[in-house]
Amino acid sequence: MSDIAPTRVLEKAGASVLVYSTAELACQAAADRLAETLKTAVATRGRAVLGLATGSTPEPIYAQLVAKHRAGELSFAQAVSYNLDEYYPISPLDPNSYRAYMHQHLFRHVDLPAHQAHVLDGTVPEFATAEHAAQFDRWISEDGGFDLQLLGIGRNGHIGFNEPADLPLEKALALPTRLVELDSVTRADAVKQFGDASHVLHRALTVGVAQILAARSILIVALGTNKAPAVGLSLNGPMTSNVPASLLQAAPGKVTWMIDEAAASEI
Ligand code: F6R
C-alpha cells in the first residue's frame, strides 16, 4: 500500500476514485501502485506484464519509478511492457516518437531488457499495419494480458488513441489494436510536442479498447482543470463511444482513478 493518502475516495461508475490535493501526490501514489503491482506479480507468477502510457502525465510517475530502481527497491528484470500507442508513420529515432519518449523517461534508466519492452512500430509499411497491430494484441494475450494498464486521458476523453466516435457500444468495447486518424483536439494538444501544427502527424497506432478492458487492473491518472470536463463525463455520464474513457465503466471493480483536486472539479 502507498503511504500517500488521498484527501477523498469516491466510488463512481464501478471505479475507485482517489483524489489527491496535488498532482505531485497523485503521481507518487500512482508510482507506488505500479511498483506494488510489479512486485506482487513477480512474486506470485515470476513476471509482470505492464501496459504503459506516454504524454506529460506519466513523466513524474516514471521519474519516481526510476528513483525506486536507483534506490535498489525495484527491478524491471522480470517485467514485460507494452506501450499504448505510437504515432504513424514515425521512426523510433525521431524525438517525437513514443519509443524515444519511453527511452528518455524510463527504458534507459532501468533494468528492463530491450526484448521485453514493446512499443508499436511506426515504421511498418502501411499495408502491414493491420497485421502488426493484430500481432501486438496476440503478444499481449500470449503474455497473459496486463497485470496493470496505466492510462492518461485526453481532453476529449480519449484513452490511448481511441478517439471519440459514433459507434454502437458493442463495437466500441471490442475495438482492437489498429491504425487510427487522430482527432482535431488531440492534434491541437500535440502542437506543443511537435513545435508547429503543420508537423503534427495525423495518424497513430493504438492498443484497442478491448485489450485495455481485459487488463487485470487499470490505473488512470488525470491532472489539472483542463482534464476536469473529460473526467466528469467519464464518471458521471453514460458509457458512450463519444467519451472513450467512459467505456472503462465496462470493467467494474478493476479501475482506479488517481486524480488531483483540479481534475476532480466536475465529478
Ligand atoms: C499516451 C496516451 C494518451 C495520453 C493523453 C493525455 O500514450 O495514450 O491517451 O495519455 O493524451 O496526455 P497528457 O498526459 O500529455 O495530457
Side-chain angles (χ1 to χ4, degrees), residues 53-58 84-85 98 152-154 158-161 227:
T54 53
S56 57
T57 308
L84 266 176
D85 37 26
Y98 283 160
I153 181 171
H158 73 204
I159 46 174
F161 280 139
K227 298 293 173 68

Side-chain angles (χ1 to χ4, degrees), residues 186-203:
T186 303
R187 292 204 310 273
D189 284 349
V191 172
K192 60 182 183 307
Q193 180 189 343
F194 283 86
D196 186 292
S198 67
H199 297 155
V200 176
L201 295 180
H202 282 237
R203 291 186 295 172

Side-chain angles (χ1 to χ4, degrees), residues 19-98:
V19 184
Y20 296 85
S21 54
T22 65
E24 195 187 350
L25 289 177
C27 289
Q28 278 178 27
D32 287 351
R33 175 70 65 94
L34 253 154
E36 283 157 23
T37 305
L38 194 168
K39 286 183 197 168
T40 306
V42 169
T44 53
R45 288 189 301 117
R47 65 207 307 268
V49 184
L50 304 174
L52 299 179
T54 53
S56 57
T57 308
E59 283 181 25
I61 301 176
Y62 294 139
Q64 291 275 331
L65 293 177
V66 170
K68 288 177 193 293
H69 174 69
R70 289 195 176 136
E73 295 164 16
L74 188 65
S75 169
F76 291 80
Q78 266 72 51
V80 182
S81 72
Y82 290 91
N83 264 83
L84 266 176
D85 37 26
E86 178 60 286
Y87 290 105
Y88 186 84
I90 201 163
S91 158
L93 301 177
D94 187 320
N96 288 320
S97 75
Y98 283 160

Side-chain angles (χ1 to χ4, degrees), residues 55 74 97 108 118 135 142 156 158 164 211 230 245 256 258-259:
L74 188 65
S97 75
R108 75 189 170 104
H118 310 293
Q135 192 179 44
E142 283 175 21
N156 61 5
H158 73 204
Q211 193 67 258
T256 304
M258 289 189 176
I259 65 182

Side-chain angles (χ1 to χ4, degrees), residues 52 82-86 120 136-137 140 146 149 159-162 175-178 205-212:
L52 299 179
Y82 290 91
N83 264 83
L84 266 176
D85 37 26
E86 178 60 286
L120 284 154
F136 206 73
D137 267 340
I140 297 166
F146 296 129
Q149 171 68 65
I159 46 174
F161 280 139
N162 294 282
L175 283 171
T177 298
R178 67 205 185 284
L205 293 157
T206 185
V207 168
V209 173
Q211 193 67 258
I212 293 171

Side-chain angles (χ1 to χ4, degrees), residues 200-262:
V200 176
L201 295 180
H202 282 237
R203 291 186 295 172
L205 293 157
T206 185
V207 168
V209 173
Q211 193 67 258
I212 293 171
L213 293 175
R216 284 184 281 289
S217 65
I218 299 170
L219 174 58
I220 178 161
V221 182
L223 309 170
T225 42
N226 66 341
K227 298 293 173 68
V231 172
L233 286 172
S234 304
L235 289 167
N236 299 331
M239 244 199 284
T240 163
S241 61
N242 287 304
V243 184
S246 72
L247 301 171
L248 298 175
Q249 295 177 26
K254 294 203 296 194
V255 182
T256 304
W257 290 73
M258 289 189 176
I259 65 182
D260 63 2
E261 287 288 355

